Amino acid sequence: MDWFGRCVPDPEALLSTYWRKGPALFRPVDPPLDVFTAADRDAALDAGLLRVPYAGLYTAQGQIPDERFCPQRTVTGKPVDGYVDGQAVRDLIDTERATLQLRYIDQWHPQVRSLTGDFAARFGRLVEAFYFHSQPGRRGPVHRDDGDLIALQLGGAKHWQVYGGPADGHWQPVREDDPGPVLLDTIVRTGEVLYVPRGFAHTAEAVEGEPSSHLTVVIREAGTDHLRTALLERLAEGLTLPGRPLDDTALLATAAGLLDHLRKRLADVDPLDLVASARPHAFSSRPTA
């Protein structure tokens, strides 16, 4: 199925006009609202097998502790933690206006996996998906994400504000206290799709009237760490030197052989091939502190 075409009615405009340059709002004729429905969400919450970290709840004060919606179970006589209780999730949404985030849906929902697979084939990059169910008036912090975002509004409406991108390549995917002027201030309604370029600061808030549900498709991009990892894998290919040389002479000979191998391998590495090798494995790299 052409999931990408159902999300973006004019792919050429996205790639030539907006890609990595600025945000854009699309109104597809046949948006894939069936990819992850409210019934799918409820079925996942009630099936009994969904567990953290695939699910999380947040309020204005921060993340809700997992144990508040993941009561301990007993399985084969042993206590087990981390499984989501659907009713506990709904109670927290109702009483504390919590936002539900379902993470990496592509890993456990077949239709969403099909969608991200279509995107990945088109872009040659790792593609992941996250679902958000927010109460009206619930506003997230301004932040930057380590990937290009395609946000499909599945239900309700959400007010988005998108700011500019980073000044240079030393940025981090974290909260942004000084994002600069707003580039796009818009309400995204059911069936509409918003594109936010990688690193562009943004925030969103469900508008009054009803809860908002949207699916964010994240198209990851390689960074220096991913290029380094891909390069080291390339350089190690075909390396057959002994693991434990027996004496000083053998150790020096092994060192010379290693350097000779690396020089030959490095001379054969093409930058375009290196980027292509790094992109499919470019998971988000968030700072640890």
Side-chain angles (χ1 to χ4, degrees):
M1 180 179 292
D2 183 11
W3 293 106
F4 182 72
R6 291 181 66 188
C7 290
V8 181
D10 190 350
E12 181 58 34
L14 171 64
L15 297 176
S16 64
T17 304
Y18 302 108
W19 186 256
R20 300 284 169 82
K21 299 173 185 176
L25 180 65
F26 297 98
R27 296 182 175 89
V29 175
D30 181 30
L33 300 180
D34 54 332
V35 68
F36 192 77
T37 65
D40 292 330
R41 177 194 67 218
D42 291 339
L45 291 174
D46 293 331
L49 293 177
L50 184 67
R51 60 178 302 165
V52 295
Y54 285 122
L57 287 168
Y58 298 85
T59 67
Q61 287 69 47
Q63 185 170 355
I64 294 177
D66 297 340
E67 56 267 23
R68 293 193 61 194
F69 59 94
C70 298
Q72 192 176 79
R73 294 180 181 178
T74 300
V75 181
T76 62
K78 298 178 182 179
V80 179
D81 297 315
Y83 285 95
V84 172
D85 180 271
Q87 189 56 52
V89 169
R90 294 185 189 91
D91 290 343
L92 288 167
I93 291 174
D94 291 340
T95 61
E96 300 189 24
R97 301 176 63 79
T99 291
L100 170 66
Q101 182 188 37
L102 298 178
R103 308 181 183 110
Y104 306 103
I105 307 184
D106 51 288
Q107 295 183 9
W108 51 268
H109 189 271
Q111 283 233 114
V112 177
R113 185 184 305 122
S114 174
L115 182 147
T116 57
D118 182 45
F119 274 63
R122 288 175 178 270
F123 287 93
R125 294 167 171 84
L126 175 70
V127 180
E128 299 168 325
F130 301 79
Y131 173 88
F132 297 86
H133 181 72
S134 307
Q135 299 303 298
R138 179 74 175 82
R139 185 181 184 85
V142 179
H143 65 284
R144 303 185 188 276
D145 280 315
D146 195 7
D148 293 271
L149 309 183
I150 301 288
L152 167 63
Q153 193 68 28
L154 297 172
K158 207 155 197 180
H159 176 202
W160 285 75
Q161 291 180 310
V162 184
Y163 304 81
D168 54 42
H170 298 288
W171 64 281
Q172 297 281 10
V174 294
R175 293 181 61 153
E176 177 59 75
D177 296 325
D178 186 20
V182 174
L183 300 182
L184 179 66
D185 189 326
T186 188
I187 293 178
V188 182
R189 305 185 187 280
T190 300
E192 296 181 338
V193 175
L194 178 69
Y195 167 66
V196 180
R198 176 175 178 251
F200 277 52
H202 57 277
T203 184
E205 177 183 0
V207 302
E208 293 299 330
E210 62 179 312
S212 162
S213 298
H214 79 270
L215 184 75
T216 295
V217 179
V218 185
I219 305 167
R220 300 294 184 191
E221 182 58 286
T224 302
D225 287 345
H226 307 112
L227 292 172
R228 184 185 299 113
T229 299
L231 176 61
L232 292 176
E233 291 176 352
R234 288 288 189 90
L235 295 180
E237 291 176 358
L239 189 61
T240 58
L241 296 172
R244 295 178 177 83
L246 296 178
D247 53 31
D248 290 351
T249 300
L251 184 61
L252 286 173
T254 301
L258 175 62
L259 291 173
D260 184 57
H261 172 87
L262 294 179
R263 291 188 190 99
K264 291 178 180 178
R265 293 295 301 165
L266 191 60
D268 293 334
V269 176
D270 178 79
L272 289 176
D273 289 341
L274 186 62
V275 169
S277 297
R279 277 177 166 167
H281 308 290
F283 290 87
S284 175
S285 300
R286 287 188 175 275
T288 55

